[in-house]
Amino acid sequence: MDKPGTTDSKALQCRIDGLDCPDCAAKVEKVAGKVPGVFGVRVEFTGRTLSAQVESPEALKRLRQTVASLGYTLAGDPGDPTKSERVQTQLQVEGMDCAEEKVLVEKAFADLSGLESFEVNLISQRLTVVHNPGSLSIAQLIAALANVGLVVYPFGAPQQQSSFWQCHDKMLSTALAGLFTAMGIVLHWLAEEGGWERGLFALAIISGGWFIARKGVAAARHGVLDMNVLMSVAIIGALFIDAWDEAAMVVFLFALAQVLEGRAMDRARNAVQSLMDLAPAVARLLRNGKETSVAAEQVQVGDIFRLRPGEKIPLDGEVVEGYSAVNQAPITGESVPVDKAQGDTLYAGSINGQGSLDVQVTRLASDTTLAHIIHLIEEAQTARAPSQAFVDRFARIYTPVILVIALLITVVPPLLFGQPFSDWFYRALVLLVIACPCALVISTPVAIVSGLARGARAGVLIKGGMHLENVGRLRALAIDKTGTLTKGAPSVQAVIPLNGTPEQELLRIAVCLESRSEHPLALAIRDYARQAGIEGDEVEGFQALSGLGVEGRIEGRAYLLGNHRLIEERGICTPEVESWLEEWEQQGWTVIIIGSTEQVLGVIGIADSIRPEARSAMAALKRLGIEEITMLTGDNRGTAQAIAKSLDIDRTRAELMPADKVKAVQDLARQYSYVGMVGDGVNDAPAIVTATTGIAMGAAGTDAALETADLVLMGDDLTRLPFAIRLSRATLRSIRQNIILALGLKAIFLALAIPGYATLWMAVFADMGATLLVITNSLRLLRVHEH
C-alpha cells in the first residue's frame, strides 16, 4: 500500500448522497477505511464529502461498492474515474511568501483545461488544486507553474538532498551584496569616484539581484507587476541616472529583507508544523513476544505497540496492559497528567509518564485525533477572515494608483513646469519601491495562523479566521447544562443516616438493593460505596416496584429503597425526612430514601456535579464583557435554577427539547447579534449550527464534534473558553495594528517621496521593515497566556 504523500496514489474527493447525521458519517469513514487500496479516508458530514487516497480504479470501484452497501452513493461514474472524478492534488511551492506569487499562480492557471479550482496557502506555501486527471495531469500543473518561474513539487514527495549552495543561496548572495556595497562606499569615502567604485557596486547588484531579476522577468512575461518587477525597474532607473551607490544599497537591503522575511515566515509556519512533529514517526510493535520498530504509517489497526516511560505516543489506541499517568496537554490542553489503565484511550502526540504501557492501535496514522486536528487547521488557514476581504480589495487598487502617481510625477513637472527630469524621475523610483502592498497583504493571514496555532497548543481548535474573529465579538453565550456546566454523570452529594443507623450500614443496604440495576442513580451509589470500601451482600426476594423503587430481604430482614411516594405509601415518612426532601429538591438533587418496614434508615442526595472550574469560568466570561449567559437544559426547572444560581448565570431556560434550544439561540441572536452556543457537539448540533459561533466541549476523539462546531475545546475544561475569547480579541488587535502599521508607513513615505525627502534605500528599508514588523507583531500571539 502506498503511503500518503507519494505520487503513485490519487487524492479523491466525492460527494456522498444520503448522508443525514454525524454518526452516519463516522460509520462510512470507519468502514471505507478498511477497503483494500484506500487509505486516509475522511468523511465531512457538514459538506457531505468523502476524501481519500486511492491506489487504482479497482480500489475506487471497491470503495463505491462498500459505500453503496451501507446505503449511500458516491457521486460520479465508477466505470471511468478519469472522466468523471475530480481529484485534489497538493503541491509545495518554494519561496511563496507574498500575494505576488498568488497572482503568478492565477496567470499560470488561466487557460488550463480540466482545472476546477485551486486554493493558495501563503503560510504553508501549499497549493491545493482540484482538477480532472484525464485532461490535466500533475506534470502539466507543475510545468505551467514552472513557466512563470515557480519551483513546485508534489506535497510530501521525497526531495533530492540539496547542496550547501542550494540551501543558502539567498543568504550567501545577500552577504556578498552587502560586502561589495560596503567596500564600494568605503572606496567612495577614501578616493575620488572612479571605475573601481562602480565595479564594486556592479558586483553588489549582480550578486544580490540575480534572484530578484529572475522572478521579475518571469512575472513581467505574464503581465504581473509584482515587487520583483517594481524593484528591478527601480534599480535599472537608479543606474540610468548614475546613482550606482543607491542601486547597490537597494539591492542589498531588499535581498536582506527577503531573507529576514523568509525566516520570520518560517517561524509562523513552524507554529503549525510543530503540531505535526508531536507524534513520533516510529512505533515499537510487539510481534511474537519481541519488540520491532516500524514506521507509524505502516502500523495497522489491531497491532499492539509498547510505550516506555517518557516516550511520546505514536498512534491512537487503547491500553491493554500496564498503568501510567499520561500527559495529554498537546491534544486536550489539560495541564495535569491523566491516569491510564486497561481499557483507557490514548491519543497520538501525548506523552507517557513513569509507567510502561502496551497499547492496541485503534486508528491509522492518517486517521488519529492529532491528524484530524492538523487537517482542520490546514483547512482553517485557507478560510478567509472577514478582515482579509478589505485587505484584498484595497491591495487590488493600491498598486495601480501608486503607479499612476509615479508616472505623473515623472512626466508632469518636467513637461509643464520645466523641472529637472532626473530629480522627479528619482522621486518616481521611490514611489515604485513602496507600490507593492506586501506588508498589508500578509497582515491578516500571519496573525490568523499564529492565533490558530496558539489555540491548538492549548487544546482549543478554531475552524478558520472568520470564527477566530467572531469569537472575540461574542456578546452573549448559551450554554448547555448537562456535560458542559456539569460533569454529565450523577454522583452522591450527601449521605444522612437516620434513627441511629450507622452510615456504613446504610450504604451496605443501599448497595445490596441497587446491585441488580444499571440505572445511573444506582451506579452512582455503587461507585460511592466502592470508594468507601463497602461491598454488598446477596439479596433475597428482590422486587422492582414500578415508579417507586425496589425492595428485598438482606440477611432475612426486609428493606426498601425508593422515592418519597414509596415511603408515603408504606406509612414511614416523618417530618425530618420531609425537611431533607424539601431542602435537597430546592438544590436540584434527586433524593433516595432507604428504610425498613418500620422506619426510615437514611437518605442519600444525588446530583449531577457542577464542574469544579465552572464558577471561575463564568466569572471570567463576565469580566471579559459577555453581557448575558443563558443556561439551556432539558432538565426540570428547579434543578436548573439551583445550578444557575450557584454559578451566577443570568438566565435559565429549562425543560427544553432540541428545537426549543434552537429558538433560544435565535432569540439571543436577535438581541445581541454575536452569540455563541456551547454544547457537546452531537446532541446540541442544531443549536450549535444556529449560533454565530458553535462551540463543542470535550471533543478529543469525537469526530462529530470536530465536524459540527466552529470552535472545539478538546478537553473537559471550561476555562479554555475565556482563553479562546482573549486569544480572539488579541488576534483582532494584532490584525488592526498590522493594517494601521502597513498603511501608515506607506502613507508617510508617500508624503515624503513626492516632495523629495525620501531616498530609494530609505523606501526599501521602510517597506520591508513594515513587513517584518507585521510578522513579528503577529508572532506575539504565540505567547498569549492561558490564564
Side-chain angles (χ1 to χ4, degrees):
M1 183 181 293
D2 293 329
K3 301 176 187 176
T6 64
T7 55
D8 297 325
S9 59
K10 298 294 184 182
L12 172 72
Q13 188 176 59
C14 292
R15 188 181 74 254
I16 302 182
D17 293 332
L19 201 62
D20 298 317
C21 65
D23 288 338
C24 304
K27 176 179 67 176
V28 172
E29 185 174 294
K30 181 177 180 180
V31 176
K34 298 178 181 178
V35 176
V38 178
F39 52 86
V41 177
R42 278 189 52 76
V43 177
E44 304 276 355
F45 165 63
T46 51
R48 289 181 169 82
T49 58
L50 179 146
S51 303
Q53 295 284 336
V54 182
E55 283 186 334
S56 62
E58 291 75 21
L60 174 61
K61 188 174 182 180
R62 288 193 295 268
L63 174 63
R64 287 190 177 280
Q65 291 170 344
T66 301
V67 172
S69 70
L70 296 173
Y72 308 100
T73 305
L74 289 184
D77 175 19
D80 187 5
T82 61
K83 179 179 179 181
S84 61
E85 293 299 342
R86 59 179 185 172
V87 297
Q88 180 175 288
T89 299
Q90 289 193 328
L91 303 172
Q92 197 73 30
V93 185
E94 285 189 359
M96 186 166 65
D97 293 321
C98 195
E100 304 149 358
E101 283 86 3
K102 183 177 180 180
V103 176
L104 286 175
V105 172
E106 291 171 353
K107 290 284 186 179
F109 287 170
D111 301 316
L112 289 183
S113 175
L115 178 71
E116 290 199 18
S117 64
F118 67 91
E119 191 74 47
V120 177
N121 188 335
L122 293 177
I123 303 300
S124 64
Q125 296 184 321
R126 199 174 302 172
L127 176 62
T128 302
V129 185
V130 179
H131 61 107
N132 186 326
S135 55
L136 182 61
S137 66
I138 296 176
Q140 289 173 308
L141 289 171
I142 293 175
L145 293 166
N147 195 38
V148 295
L150 297 175
V151 179
V152 183
Y153 52 86
F155 174 70
Q159 299 301 302
Q160 291 182 349
Q161 188 67 32
S162 300
S163 65
F164 181 82
W165 167 253
Q166 289 173 322
C167 292
H168 303 89
D169 54 351
K170 285 189 178 181
M171 190 179 298
L172 292 173
S173 296
T174 302
L176 286 173
L179 177 63
F180 289 134
T181 301
M183 291 171 64
I185 292 174
V186 170
L187 193 62
H188 176 74
W189 287 341
L190 297 178
E192 294 184 4
E193 184 176 346
W196 285 105
E197 179 185 326
R198 286 192 178 185
L200 288 170
F201 288 138
L203 288 173
I205 293 168
I206 294 169
S207 60
W210 64 269
F211 57 86
I212 302 171
R214 185 186 65 186
K215 286 187 174 182
V217 170
R221 281 174 49 217
H222 291 81
V224 178
L225 291 177
D226 71 354
M227 190 65 186
N228 295 289
V229 173
L230 298 176
M231 202 61 67
S232 298
V233 172
I235 293 165
I236 294 170
L239 296 177
F240 177 73
I241 60 175
D242 208 28
W244 287 76
D245 55 342
E246 292 256 22
M249 183 63 76
V250 166
V251 167
F252 168 63
L253 288 176
F254 182 69
L256 178 63
Q258 292 274 286
V259 170
L260 295 176
E261 181 184 333
R263 289 291 186 89
M265 288 292 283
D266 284 342
R267 282 192 63 194
R269 293 186 189 105
N270 290 339
V272 175
Q273 182 66 38
S274 62
L275 293 174
M276 302 180 188
D277 297 333
L278 285 175
V282 175
R284 191 181 297 105
L285 293 190
L286 291 178
R287 290 177 175 169
N288 300 321
K290 295 182 179 180
E291 296 182 7
T292 306
S293 294
V294 177
E297 292 175 345
Q298 297 177 358
V299 177
Q300 300 299 310
V301 172
D303 286 347
I304 295 176
F305 64 88
R306 175 161 291 170
L307 283 174
R308 293 173 181 168
E311 288 185 336
K312 288 185 177 181
I313 299 171
L315 298 151
D316 286 5
E318 183 178 295
V319 177
V320 294
E321 187 177 335
Y323 175 85
S324 184
V326 174
N327 179 2
Q328 298 184 150
I331 305 300
T332 66
E334 296 169 288
S335 57
V336 179
V338 180
D339 290 339
K340 298 290 183 179
Q342 186 173 353
D344 290 334
T345 299
L346 298 180
Y347 302 120
S350 302
I351 304 168
N352 186 28
Q354 297 302 310
S356 177
L357 297 173
D358 289 348
V359 184
Q360 186 171 49
V361 177
T362 56
R363 291 191 173 194
L364 298 175
S366 61
D367 193 38
T368 63
T369 299
L370 177 62
H372 284 206
I373 292 172
I374 294 168
H375 174 74
L376 289 171
I377 289 179
E378 288 174 343
E379 285 186 341
Q381 289 181 37
T382 63
R384 289 160 56 85
S387 55
Q388 185 69 30
F390 158 75
V391 168
D392 287 348
R393 286 196 303 269
F394 184 88
R396 276 197 296 269
I397 63 173
Y398 171 78
T399 299
V401 167
I402 296 298
L403 291 177
V404 169
I405 294 174
L407 180 63
L408 292 175
I409 282 178
T410 305
V411 176
V412 173
L415 288 181
L416 298 184
F417 304 105
Q419 296 291 314
F421 173 78
S422 60
D423 288 350
W424 290 95
F425 182 67
Y426 181 85
R427 297 177 191 184
L429 295 180
V430 174
L431 283 180
L432 287 183
V433 172
I434 64 171
C436 188
C438 260
L440 182 64
V441 169
I442 67 170
S443 61
T444 297
V446 175
I448 291 295
V449 168
S450 298
L452 294 175
R454 178 64 188 96
R457 286 183 185 177
V460 177
L461 180 58
I462 305 167
K463 305 275 280 291
M466 179 178 71
H467 304 304
L468 181 59
E469 291 190 11
N470 284 342
V471 171
R473 299 189 176 106
L474 292 179
R475 296 175 56 202
L477 279 173
I479 305 181
D480 180 58
K481 178 183 76 71
T482 306
T484 306
L485 293 170
T486 66
K487 293 181 178 178
S491 61
V492 173
Q493 305 296 312
V495 178
I496 305 296
L498 300 174
N499 297 314
T501 308
E503 181 176 330
Q504 287 194 332
E505 177 64 13
L506 179 67
L507 285 172
R508 188 181 71 86
I509 295 169
V511 169
C512 292
L513 293 173
E514 293 283 30
S515 61
R516 303 187 186 186
S517 174
E518 293 301 319
H519 190 280
L521 298 180
L523 295 176
I525 291 173
R526 296 210 301 266
D527 184 58
Y528 183 85
R530 189 182 306 112
Q531 293 178 22
I534 297 170
E535 296 182 1
D537 297 322
E538 196 62 40
V539 181
E540 298 175 350
F542 179 85
Q543 186 177 358
L545 307 173
S546 180
L548 299 173
V550 297
E551 64 179 353
R553 301 181 69 83
I554 303 171
E555 297 176 347
R557 189 174 178 187
Y559 294 98
L560 54 86
L561 177 149
N563 56 24
H564 186 204
R565 184 177 156 200
L566 174 62
I567 62 167
E568 284 280 7
E569 288 186 2
R570 298 299 172 92
I572 57 174
C573 192
T574 65
E576 185 178 13
V577 173
E578 293 281 1
S579 67
W580 285 113
L581 281 166
E582 182 179 356
E583 179 182 339
W584 286 355
E585 286 178 349
Q586 285 180 354
Q587 296 180 45
W589 293 7
T590 299
V591 183
I592 301 296
I593 305 169
I594 301 98
S596 64
T597 54
E598 297 87 17
Q599 61 182 1
V600 173
L601 303 178
V603 290
I604 299 176
I606 298 177
D608 186 2
S609 302
I610 296 173
R611 291 182 180 275
E613 78 279 5
R615 290 181 180 84
S616 61
M618 296 303 105
L621 290 170
K622 293 287 185 69
R623 288 195 298 272
L624 287 170
I626 299 297
E627 297 175 39
E628 180 175 324
I629 300 175
T630 298
M631 185 177 76
L632 308 181
T633 180
D635 210 339
N636 66 76
R637 194 169 303 278
T639 300
Q641 288 176 345
I643 291 175
K645 184 178 180 180
S646 68
L647 295 177
D648 193 26
I649 288 175
D650 301 306
R651 192 191 302 182
T652 301
R653 299 184 68 162
E655 301 173 5
L656 302 180
M657 299 295 288
D660 300 324
K661 292 183 180 181
V662 171
K663 186 178 184 303
V665 172
Q666 290 172 338
D667 291 342
L668 284 172
R670 278 192 290 270
Q671 184 176 357
Y672 295 104
S673 298
Y674 288 94
V675 175
M677 169 65 196
V678 188
D680 63 9
V682 182
N683 299 330
D684 303 307
I688 284 176
V689 172
T690 303
T692 311
T693 302
I695 303 165
M697 183 174 156
T702 307
D703 293 343
L706 292 175
E707 297 286 350
T708 307
D710 306 314
L711 185 150
V712 180
L713 308 179
M714 300 300 291
D716 284 328
D717 186 358
L718 269 173
T719 60
R720 301 294 167 185
L721 184 53
F723 164 73
I725 293 175
R726 288 191 294 105
L727 177 64
S728 172
R729 292 178 181 176
T731 304
L732 287 170
R733 282 196 302 272
S734 179
I735 290 171
R736 284 193 293 267
Q737 291 164 357
N738 289 346
I739 292 173
I740 292 170
L741 183 64
L743 291 179
L745 279 172
K746 296 288 185 185
I748 290 170
F749 270 83
L750 182 63
L752 291 175
I754 294 175
Y757 295 122
T759 63
L760 273 174
W761 68 267
M762 287 169 59
V764 174
F765 191 81
D767 188 75
M768 294 298 109
T771 302
L772 293 173
L773 286 173
V774 162
I775 296 172
T776 304
N777 186 47
S778 298
L779 291 175
R780 290 169 56 232
L781 293 169
L782 297 173
R783 297 193 296 272
V784 173
H785 296 298
E786 296 179 19
H787 301 289

